[in-house]
């Protein structure tokens, strides 16, 4: 590993791999380790901060969050020749909980993406209460994939639910943009988006999130 940022997937569905294989110029080092999660043990000796992106509900945006936070951190730290941040994409299922538990052994914190929709509430709660909180790791919930065209009701309901549970959440909300959806097909991360207003706003969310979480420097 020679880059400042390393992205690793332990998701057997390998959606991160599918996306990463389409990126012509990866801004970070990358590997798939679901078949040998014990390889994560090497992270203990790197001195890097390890961030696990987790929610046992599928389709909440874990891969998008993982790759784009990795890209943003790599962009800020591009002059560094030392590994500083590791982002781990985890499975979106209960069946692969052992993989998530393995990743948590080496983590410094956990990011929990959660879309503003009722179907995400119970699976997110289970993930936090049954897996993340028992680990003792600091975590934050990130409201993800909110479409401003839908108004603020769902967003506010979701934020109120998170607060009622006593979970810490980020002030930054990741808005829904078609450019994010197309990016996986086109093989791009946010730092490679076209230079236009919409793409700039889409990038801004992830830069703001990385800054809020302290991933833009020495953490």
């Amino acid at each position: 590993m020679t880059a400042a940022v390393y992205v690793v997937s332990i998701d057997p569905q390998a959606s991160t791999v599918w996306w990463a294989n389409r990126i012509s110029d990866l801004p970070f080092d990358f590997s798939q380790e679901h078949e040998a999660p014990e390889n994560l043990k090497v992270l203990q000796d790197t001195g890097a901060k390890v961030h696990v992106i987790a929610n046992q509900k599928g389709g909440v945006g874990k891969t998008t969050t993982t790759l784009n936070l990795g890209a943003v951190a790599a962009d800020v730290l591009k002059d560094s020749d030392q590994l500083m941040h590791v982002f781990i994409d985890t499975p979106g299922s209960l069946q692969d909980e052992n993989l998530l538990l393995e990743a948590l052994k080496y983590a410094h914190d956990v990011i929990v993406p959660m879309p503003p929709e009722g179907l995400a509430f119970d699976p997110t709660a289970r993930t936090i209460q049954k897996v993340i909180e028992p680990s003792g790791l600091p975590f934050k919930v990130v409201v993800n994939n909110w479409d401003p065209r839908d108004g603020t009701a769902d967003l506010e309901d979701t934020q109120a639910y998170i607060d009622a549970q006593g979970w810490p959440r980020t002030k930054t909300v990741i808005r829904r943009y078609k450019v994010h959806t197309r990016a996986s097909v086109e093989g791009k991360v946010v730092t490679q988006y076209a230079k236009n207003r919409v793409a700039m706003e889409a990038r801004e969310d992830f830069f703001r999130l990385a800054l809020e979480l302290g991933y833009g420097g020495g953490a």
Side-chain angles (χ1 to χ4, degrees), residues 4 20 29 36 42 52 73 80 90 103 124 129 139 141 156 158-159 175 199 202:
D29 287 331
V42 72
V52 168
S80 174
T90 62
T124 301
Q129 294 165 1
F139 71 92
V141 180
E156 291 169 354
T158 302
Q159 291 173 326
R175 293 168 288 182

Side-chain angles (χ1 to χ4, degrees), residues 7-17 30-34 37 40 43 50-67 86-107 109-113 127 131-132 137:
V7 172
V8 55
S9 171
I10 55 168
D11 183 359
Q13 292 189 2
S15 52
T16 315
V17 179
F30 172 80
S31 71
Q32 174 74 21
E33 302 292 351
H34 76 276
L40 296 176
L43 298 177
V50 179
H51 319 292
V52 168
I53 292 78
N55 192 322
Q56 291 174 303
K57 178 173 176 18
V60 298
K62 288 189 297 296
T63 298
T64 301
T65 302
T66 304
L67 289 172
V86 178
F87 296 90
I88 303 180
D89 189 18
T90 62
S93 70
L94 299 176
Q95 289 79 8
D96 298 305
E97 190 169 289
N98 62 311
L99 293 172
L100 172 55
L101 290 170
E102 185 69 17
L104 293 176
K105 290 181 185 178
Y106 312 108
D109 61 17
V110 186
I111 305 160
V112 186
T127 302
V131 183
I132 298 174
L137 290 166

Side-chain angles (χ1 to χ4, degrees), residues 164-183:
Q165 302 302 313
W167 303 333
R169 63 175 168 87
T170 61
K171 294 179 182 177
T172 303
V173 173
I174 302 299
R175 293 168 288 182
R176 181 178 183 176
Y177 287 104
K178 283 186 178 179
V179 66
H180 289 321
T181 306
R182 290 197 302 266

